[in-house]
Amino acid sequence: MDEAEQAPPEGGERSRVAAAVPARSAVPAQPSSARLSGSSPVAGRPVAGTPVTSTGRAVSVSRAAGIKEVAAAAAVSLGTVSNVLNRPQLVSPRTRARVERAMEELGFVRNESARALRAGSSRILAYVMLDPSNPFFTDVATGIEEVAAAADLSVFLCNSGEDAAREARYLDLLLEQRVQGVLITPVDAVNERLRTLPARGTPVVLVDRVAGAGEGCSVSVDDVLGGELAATHLLERGHERIAFIGGPDTLNQVRDRRAGALRALERAGLPPDRLTVLATGALTVAEGRGAAERLVGLPAARRPTAAFCANDLIALGLLQMCVRLGVAVPGDCAIVGYDDIDFAAAAAVPLTSVRQPRYLLGRTAAELLLDEANNPAHEHQAVQFTPELAARASTVG
Amino acid sequence: MDEAEQAPPEGGERSRVAAAVPARSAVPAQPSSARLSGSSPVAGRPVAGTPVTSTGRAVSVSRAAGIKEVAAAAAVSLGTVSNVLNRPQLVSPRTRARVERAMEELGFVRNESARALRAGSSRILAYVMLDPSNPFFTDVATGIEEVAAAADLSVFLCNSGEDAAREARYLDLLLEQRVQGVLITPVDAVNERLRTLPARGTPVVLVDRVAGAGEGCSVSVDDVLGGELAATHLLERGHERIAFIGGPDTLNQVRDRRAGALRALERAGLPPDRLTVLATGALTVAEGRGAAERLVGLPAARRPTAAFCANDLIALGLLQMCVRLGVAVPGDCAIVGYDDIDFAAAAAVPLTSVRQPRYLLGRTAAELLLDEANNPAHEHQAVQFTPELAARASTVG
DNA sequence: CCCCTTCAATGAAAGGTTTCAATGCTGTGA
DNA sequence: TCACAGCATTGAAACCTTTCATTGAAGGGG
């Protein structure tokens, strides 16, 4: 029932935009219901999405001052102003003060394009991410930003939205920008552009993917081990029939985590058919809910007593449906997720999950990138971290 | 209990970094447990965070080719190459083909710094966001990106992390980059730099904040109305004692939403003391859990039968704790959240929530920005949208 | 057969900064 | 008093592209 509400979360709104705003106009024509926001509260209740606006005049401005104007105002040469900006210790305190005052007065802002042009590269790193709404990636991004800030670089986040074309567009753009380096969680394994960037002198580090030979640096987490940890945990708690829920199988993460679960069974001396694989079409909450119904539908004799989900979103969907169907967690069905996103601990039954060192992933990736950019003796590395299990109530009843 | 696990999610990892990596080195020294990833699976099980690495030689590259080299290779002038790039219709097909082949062969990549320098502005928009891990803001960002893509611009996301200093750093950076415009959800209401940007010719649009007079454009949602919707919904379902959970009070959103709830009470002819305010220190899941305990601790006679939470994170925490304490939702306590993030519908009991037009917020903000950047007759607008209620099981039992 | 128009291509200037060799100045040691 | 070291400052070149007025060539009309 709430499926329908959730699926196209704001479809209605968007079509309303189309209705209110002629497609070509840069700014919405104001519908008749528009009000000055200074006036009293809106009478009646407009449909969601109906904008209420107030307007005001735009103020025009004088043209930007450059280093040249500053030099003139301070009665020094161009070179001196540049020195104040870049090598202040070379400038006598007196002159420096004069120049700085001139900058202040003129509202001088250094033109980064000119700087970058002359210097040959910018002070920027970029992280091209799959999905900024996945907390996993934003944590990675935070790690990256910490390292970058320490090196006095800034990070621009680019959202590929799991779309190879958008990813390619961003990579081209970043190349043209001559960024210092690119961190990327690529959409597909094979990406020709990921080879051209390093060939053009822009270092690239793969995040959450393992670089093949000659592919440069990468930072990832051992998903096979993670799967093994999860399954071993369930085995240790006495479960002997386990479901693996996840897909599509094209994702490395899914394959590796399942392989890890199988390895755990093998170590425990159990046959592989004790792992019931329920394939999903994506790693989403909705797919998790669907899997729950399939799981419950299995004949009791063969029904697993525990489920290992390929990520936390699936696990949360599964959990939600179990609660609704009256399946006790962990009594009737223990659940392990993967990623340990914040919402995992915050679920109605706190979720046991495999935790990946997210900040550290980001930090290390950024460190490798900086090394590649600055250290001529740089050697490519494929760093792989090990995950750990966060046991919570969904398995430890 | 799981609080402790959640609070510093990866504190341990970080300190491990510090141990493994001398603070000054750009790249982690490899601990002795490092292995070539090509070799057989790791023996034993290293602590989470211990990296396993493989290495390879970095490949050096030839220097980048410019427009000049292309011109030479194609035996044409600089200007012609530039025309191929920017005004291809002016170039005869024959020459154009020749130039394009030369570009291909030399691996030419346009230097955006030089282009921007000459042209005076870049093809980039930026969205400075409070918190990319809040799904609300990533949805806004998606809306922005759609509009930008249609105008052939790219969007860089900047994460201020609710830190005014970082925000200021990014704004300076963007100014130096001469971006086409800046969209921002500012950290505080008063921000001197937000006035200097427009004064230097970079248009700014406030997102999820209302611009004061002379402050430029803004796009926001009517939080008072949202609060009123939420409370009215509860009143209509027969609840006469309602809790408002949220804080800190310094946040506009919190104050407005509470004011809306009071307005609803007033309209229903109920005294304001029917709204029990439980203040929280932040809008987080953990605070929501804490509020649940306070709520349950109230004497039965005065205990509200429903709660309106200032955002969904609080509501999810409250919901989680209710489930754990055996308080039936919505039977004993109905819950309404705010923002309608995806996890709201995915909770164990799907959450009724106030939905804001997130994509539309982003789209409209971007459209206003583009208008301000390109239309000399631009007039500042403070657009305000109206929210709507998504009723789900947490109130509709 | 010449002039004029049209289309393609050209070459030089400009944009704002950094870099660096060169200049001018001050003060020191002989 | 002179030579020189050391420091502060200077001026011009370089970075790579875009723009635009100009040139050159080809074709059509008188």
Side-chain angles (χ1 to χ4, degrees):
Chain A
M1 175 165 283
D2 61 311
E3 291 281 6
E5 288 170 6
Q6 188 204 11
E10 299 185 324
E13 283 156 12
R14 292 214 218 178
S15 52
R16 263 176 233 124
V17 191
V21 186
R24 288 275 152 256
S25 110
V27 124
Q30 289 315 312
S32 56
S33 67
R35 296 285 187 287
L36 286 182
S37 69
S39 65
S40 52
V42 194
R45 206 172 275 165
V47 186
T50 306
V52 176
T53 74
S54 71
T55 63
R57 287 188 313 281
V59 188
S60 70
V61 284
S62 66
R63 207 56 228 135
I67 223 179
K68 200 157 63 181
E69 284 79 6
V70 173
V76 293
S77 72
L78 286 190
T80 301
V81 178
S82 176
N83 281 338
V84 170
L85 285 170
N86 302 294
R87 269 116 62 234
Q89 73 284 2
L90 291 189
V91 181
S92 74
R94 237 174 80 73
T95 335
R96 195 191 328 171
R98 202 150 32 99
V99 171
E100 281 167 348
R101 201 161 59 80
M103 289 188 186
E104 186 70 31
E105 278 169 3
L106 294 170
F108 167 78
V109 176
R110 182 211 244 116
N111 183 322
E112 172 64 17
S113 298
R115 214 223 91 247
L117 171 60
R118 185 64 240 257
S121 98
S122 64
R123 307 285 309 157
I124 293 172
L125 298 186
Y127 178 34
V128 183
M129 61 205 309
L130 278 187
D131 175 11
S133 65
N134 184 332
F136 175 81
F137 292 115
T138 50
D139 284 346
V140 171
T142 303
I144 293 170
E145 282 169 345
E146 281 174 11
V147 172
D152 201 29
L153 299 172
S154 296
V155 178
F156 283 152
L157 302 177
C158 305
N159 171 20
S160 71
E162 307 196 23
D163 173 351
R166 267 179 72 170
E167 178 182 283
R169 271 233 320 278
Y170 269 117
L171 289 178
D172 286 346
L173 190 74
L174 294 170
L175 201 49
E176 292 187 350
Q177 295 275 336
R178 302 291 192 276
V179 295
Q180 286 246 316
V182 172
L183 297 138
I184 179 171
T185 303
V187 173
D188 12 0
V190 284
N191 189 326
E192 180 239 341
R193 228 161 297 236
L194 284 184
R195 297 175 189 268
T196 75
L197 255 74
R200 303 257 181 290
T202 301
V204 170
V205 172
L206 300 184
V207 176
D208 204 31
R209 289 279 191 285
V210 181
E215 270 196 322
C217 290
S218 71
V219 179
S220 56
V221 180
D222 188 340
D223 279 326
V224 177
L225 179 55
E228 188 177 352
L229 285 176
T232 301
H233 173 73
L234 291 172
L235 293 170
E236 281 170 355
R237 301 204 59 81
H239 299 281
E240 299 203 327
R241 289 193 309 280
I242 300 176
F244 175 83
I245 307 180
D249 230 31
T250 51
L251 294 176
N252 269 328
Q253 280 92 335
V254 173
R255 286 201 307 272
D256 287 352
R257 289 166 195 181
R258 190 185 53 216
L262 285 172
R263 200 163 79 188
L265 285 178
E266 188 181 355
R267 289 214 176 168
L270 293 172
D273 65 3
R274 292 299 182 88
L275 192 74
T276 306
V277 175
L278 298 178
T280 63
L283 299 174
T284 62
V285 174
E287 291 281 344
R289 281 192 291 253
E293 283 164 347
R294 279 189 282 156
L295 186 63
V296 171
L298 290 177
R302 278 180 32 225
R303 189 185 312 143
T305 59
F308 167 38
C309 303
N311 84 351
D312 279 346
L313 300 182
I314 294 217
L316 288 173
L318 175 66
L319 173 61
Q320 176 195 354
M321 215 51 174
C322 283
V323 169
R324 218 183 295 175
L325 296 173
V327 176
V329 176
D332 300 332
C333 181
I335 300 179
V336 181
Y338 208 107
D339 282 349
D340 194 30
I341 63 178
D342 276 352
F343 291 107
V349 180
L351 197 65
T352 295
S353 191
V354 177
R355 177 185 300 164
Q356 312 197 58
R358 294 169 291 194
Y359 292 103
L360 188 52
L361 214 59
R363 292 191 62 98
T364 308
E367 281 163 355
L368 283 173
L369 189 67
L370 293 185
D371 186 68
E372 182 162 354
N374 302 318
N375 174 4
H378 172 82
E379 296 221 329
H380 289 325
Q381 304 185 21
V383 179
Q384 194 165 54
F385 288 98
T386 56
E388 63 186 10
L389 191 89
R392 300 206 184 82
S394 74
T395 57
V396 184
Chain B
M1 175 164 285
D2 60 314
E3 292 280 6
E5 287 169 8
Q6 189 204 11
E10 301 185 323
E13 283 157 12
R14 292 214 216 176
S15 52
R16 264 177 233 122
V17 192
V21 186
R24 287 275 153 255
S25 111
V27 123
Q30 289 315 313
S32 56
S33 68
R35 296 283 187 288
L36 287 183
S37 68
S39 64
S40 52
V42 195
R45 206 172 276 164
V47 186
T50 306
V52 176
T53 74
S54 71
T55 63
R57 288 189 310 282
V59 188
S60 71
V61 284
S62 65
R63 209 56 227 137
I67 224 178
K68 198 157 65 182
E69 284 79 5
V70 173
V76 293
S77 72
L78 285 190
T80 302
V81 178
S82 176
N83 281 338
V84 170
L85 285 170
N86 303 296
R87 270 114 64 234
Q89 72 285 0
L90 291 188
V91 182
S92 75
R94 238 174 78 74
T95 344
R96 194 191 331 169
R98 203 149 32 98
V99 171
E100 281 168 349
R101 202 161 59 82
M103 288 188 186
E104 185 72 30
E105 278 169 3
L106 293 170
F108 168 78
V109 176
R110 183 211 244 119
N111 185 322
E112 171 66 15
S113 298
R115 212 224 90 247
L117 171 60
R118 187 67 242 263
S121 99
S122 64
R123 308 285 308 157
I124 292 172
L125 298 186
Y127 178 34
V128 183
M129 61 205 308
L130 278 187
D131 175 12
S133 65
N134 185 332
F136 175 82
F137 293 115
T138 51
D139 284 347
V140 171
T142 303
I144 292 170
E145 283 169 345
E146 281 174 12
V147 172
D152 200 30
L153 299 172
S154 296
V155 179
F156 282 152
L157 303 176
C158 304
N159 171 20
S160 71
E162 308 196 23
D163 172 351
R166 268 178 71 171
E167 178 182 283
R169 271 234 319 278
Y170 269 117
L171 290 177
D172 286 345
L173 190 73
L174 294 170
L175 201 49
E176 293 188 350
Q177 295 275 336
R178 302 292 193 274
V179 294
Q180 285 247 316
V182 172
L183 298 138
I184 180 170
T185 304
V187 173
D188 358 337
V190 284
N191 188 327
E192 180 239 342
R193 227 161 298 235
L194 285 184
R195 297 175 189 267
T196 74
L197 256 73
R200 304 257 180 290
T202 301
V204 171
V205 172
L206 300 185
V207 177
D208 203 32
R209 289 280 191 285
V210 181
E215 270 196 322
C217 290
S218 71
V219 179
S220 55
V221 180
D222 188 340
D223 279 326
V224 177
L225 180 54
E228 187 177 353
L229 284 176
T232 301
H233 172 73
L234 291 172
L235 293 170
E236 281 169 355
R237 301 204 59 82
H239 299 281
E240 299 202 328
R241 290 193 308 280
I242 299 176
F244 175 83
I245 307 180
D249 230 32
T250 52
L251 295 176
N252 269 328
Q253 280 91 337
V254 173
R255 287 200 306 272
D256 287 352
R257 290 166 195 180
R258 190 185 52 217
L262 285 171
R263 200 163 79 187
L265 285 177
E266 189 181 355
R267 291 214 177 168
L270 293 172
D273 64 4
R274 292 298 181 90
L275 192 74
T276 307
V277 175
L278 298 178
T280 64
L283 299 174
T284 62
V285 174
E287 292 281 345
R289 280 192 292 252
E293 283 164 347
R294 279 189 282 157
L295 186 62
V296 171
L298 291 177
R302 278 179 33 224
R303 189 184 312 145
T305 59
F308 166 39
C309 302
N311 84 352
D312 280 347
L313 299 182
I314 294 216
L316 289 172
L318 175 65
L319 173 60
Q320 175 194 355
M321 215 50 175
C322 282
V323 169
R324 218 183 294 175
L325 296 174
V327 176
V329 176
D332 299 333
C333 179
I335 301 179
V336 180
Y338 208 106
D339 282 351
D340 194 29
I341 63 178
D342 276 352
F343 291 106
V349 180
L351 197 66
T352 295
S353 191
V354 177
R355 178 185 300 165
Q356 313 197 57
R358 293 170 291 194
Y359 292 102
L360 187 53
L361 215 58
R363 291 192 62 98
T364 308
E367 280 162 356
L368 283 174
L369 189 66
L370 293 185
D371 186 67
E372 182 161 354
N374 302 317
N375 174 4
H378 172 83
E379 295 222 330
H380 289 324
Q381 304 185 21
V383 179
Q384 194 165 55
F385 289 98
T386 56
E388 63 186 10
L389 191 89
R392 300 207 184 82
S394 73
T395 55
V396 185

